[in-house]
Structure formats: C-alpha cells, structure tokens
Amino acid sequence: MGESAGRRRLGPLAGLLVAAVVAAGCMGGGLDQGEPQQPAPRQSGRPASPGAETTRADGTTSVAEFKQDFQDAVAGAEQYWTAQFRASGDQFRPIRRVVPYTRAGEVSCGGQGLPRNNAVYCSAGDFIAYDVNWSVSAFRQIGDAFLFYLLGHEYAHGVQTRLGIRYNFTIQQELQADCMAGAYLGDSVRSGTLKLEDGDLDEFREGLLAVGDDPDQPWFAEGAHGTAEQRSEKFFAGYEQSLDACGLR
C-alpha cells in the first residue's frame, strides 16, 4: 500500500480466494472476535505459510510495508468516521488504541484472553487487537486491501458501540459491520482518499464469495456472521450505497 498525492492505493488482490475469512465467536463479555481466522491452506497442497508461491503479485512482503499499510488503514478509518460524525453534528472519539500480540492470552478483554490467529474489537477496553504474526502472513498471501477490510470491519464495531447499537443476534451485528466497512471503502474511493486498480473490485467480489459461515450453521447461533453470499451482499451494498444501506440512518 503506497500513498501518492495524498491518495492510498489498493493493489491487486491476488490470492484472496486462498484465505477463507471465517469468523470466530463474537460479542462475549465485551469481546468482539469478528474477523478472520487463519487463512486456509491452498487446495493445491502448497504450504499455508507465505512463500514465493503464495506472495501476492505486486511483491509486497516486508514487515515495514505491513506496518505502514496497517497505520494507513487505521488512519483512514479514523478519518472517515470523524468526518461522518462531524457531518451529523457530533464529535467522534477515535478507538483508544490498536494492540498487536503474538501469543494466545497475551492480551485480554474483559478478563478473557484473546486467541491466536484473529483480530478483535474489545468494547470493554475500547481497543482493537490483532495477532501480528497471523496478520503479516495474511498480508503476504492476500495483499494490503485485506488490512483495509480487516480494520474497516473491526473499526465499525467500535462505531456501533459509540452509537449504542446492539442487536439480539450476532449475525445482525456482524453483517452491519460488513456493510459499514464497505461504506468506508466505497466512500473513500469516491472521495479520492483511496484508489483501486483495475480488477480489484472483481477480485474482491470473488474473494468474498469464498468466505462466510458454513451453510449449515444456524443464523441465530451465537457467533454467526452470515454466509458468504450474505457477507458479500452487505459489504457491496455499503460500498455502492454508502451508509444508507447499513441501517444507521
């Protein structure tokens, strides 16, 4: 992810289909574990850990690039929601901090240790935490756009907390966060803050079809996030129609 004339560019999303963004349990004890589990291994038998065969097409692999893109993703979400609140006559309070971790239980939320291979928003402490080793691995396999979706979704949970939004079922909370992440990205592209390269949206759409809950999981189950089709529909509704599609207005 690079910046050019004040614009952030999303590079090609090569390899997105190999990473199933499968959700964990959510919203327990002030904890939202709303985002991806560890990328699934390629069906071709290639190793799951990134290497020459799994690195994304534009060659971004360094930790320095990951850190910069991650910072850009956090700053972009903060900038977007600050502007949205200001337009509504309110002041936005940014999420307090973003915390990397490397071991299960190293960071806790509401007394519950966070697992490896995940990213979460913790309403109890108002922070986002992420497994840095898993995130770098996913970054190398999927690309920098993954980080913008990841942070967009988790940041949306922080916005839901600020707005007092709390649904009866996890799936409602999660699909709305997908929609809000889509609105953030779509509005940022339309404003020129983010720039997508040709083909990125098609690859994003194909990738979203590969993620989601098992079709046999009940929609009312605790921790349900929605099928791949539902998550894709909500994300792109937000991307194309902005926040009007997300039930916030």
Side-chain angles (χ1 to χ4, degrees):
M1 173 75 63
E3 294 188 20
S4 175
R7 297 186 298 183
R8 299 182 180 90
R9 185 183 63 178
L10 301 184
L13 306 184
L16 188 58
L17 286 173
V18 308
V21 188
V22 180
C26 295
M27 294 297 193
L31 170 66
D32 166 44
Q33 292 174 210
E35 261 316 287
Q37 292 292 323
Q38 189 166 6
R42 290 175 179 263
Q43 297 302 312
S44 64
R46 292 176 180 174
S49 59
E53 296 85 6
T54 57
T55 298
R56 69 191 180 96
D58 63 5
T60 298
T61 61
S62 75
V63 172
E65 289 170 302
F66 167 83
K67 289 181 178 179
Q68 184 60 60
D69 286 340
F70 204 97
Q71 292 172 3
D72 289 346
V74 174
E78 181 177 319
Q79 176 184 337
Y80 175 76
W81 288 110
T82 297
Q84 294 301 315
F85 273 61
R86 184 185 299 119
S88 299
D90 296 322
Q91 183 174 2
F92 180 69
R93 176 173 53 88
I95 288 176
R96 191 161 61 91
R97 58 197 175 109
V98 179
V99 183
Y101 65 93
T102 59
R103 301 184 308 275
E106 179 181 350
V107 176
S108 63
C109 173
Q112 179 179 350
L114 302 183
R116 293 184 57 210
N117 304 326
N118 215 335
V120 307
Y121 168 71
C122 176
S123 59
D126 190 34
F127 64 86
I128 293 171
Y130 65 98
D131 181 334
V132 66
N133 293 324
W134 165 78
S135 298
V136 170
S137 176
F139 168 70
R140 288 172 171 170
Q141 291 183 18
I142 304 169
D144 50 6
F146 168 82
L147 298 180
F148 279 73
Y149 168 73
L150 174 71
L151 266 297
H153 180 99
E154 297 305 337
Y155 218 98
H157 284 312
V159 175
Q160 288 172 326
T161 296
R162 282 151 175 74
L163 295 176
I165 296 173
R166 183 73 182 204
Y167 288 102
N168 292 327
F169 298 100
T170 305
I171 191 172
Q172 296 170 297
Q173 204 91 7
E174 296 304 323
L175 291 178
Q176 185 182 60
D178 279 338
C179 182
M180 293 163 70
Y184 149 56
L185 289 171
D187 287 346
S188 296
V189 169
R190 284 184 285 273
S191 70
T193 304
L194 289 174
K195 182 180 179 181
L196 271 68
E197 294 184 349
D198 292 342
D200 277 351
L201 278 181
D202 288 338
E203 293 180 21
F204 221 156
R205 186 174 291 107
E206 292 172 3
L208 283 167
L209 290 177
V211 305
D213 293 339
D214 188 301
D216 294 330
Q217 176 167 310
W219 65 269
F220 52 81
E222 181 66 24
H225 283 59
T227 64
E229 289 76 12
Q230 288 172 321
R231 299 196 72 174
S232 180
E233 179 182 0
K234 287 297 184 181
F235 176 86
F236 280 105
Y239 187 94
E240 295 167 1
Q241 303 170 38
S242 189
L243 295 172
D244 289 337
C246 304
L248 297 179
R249 297 173 178 174

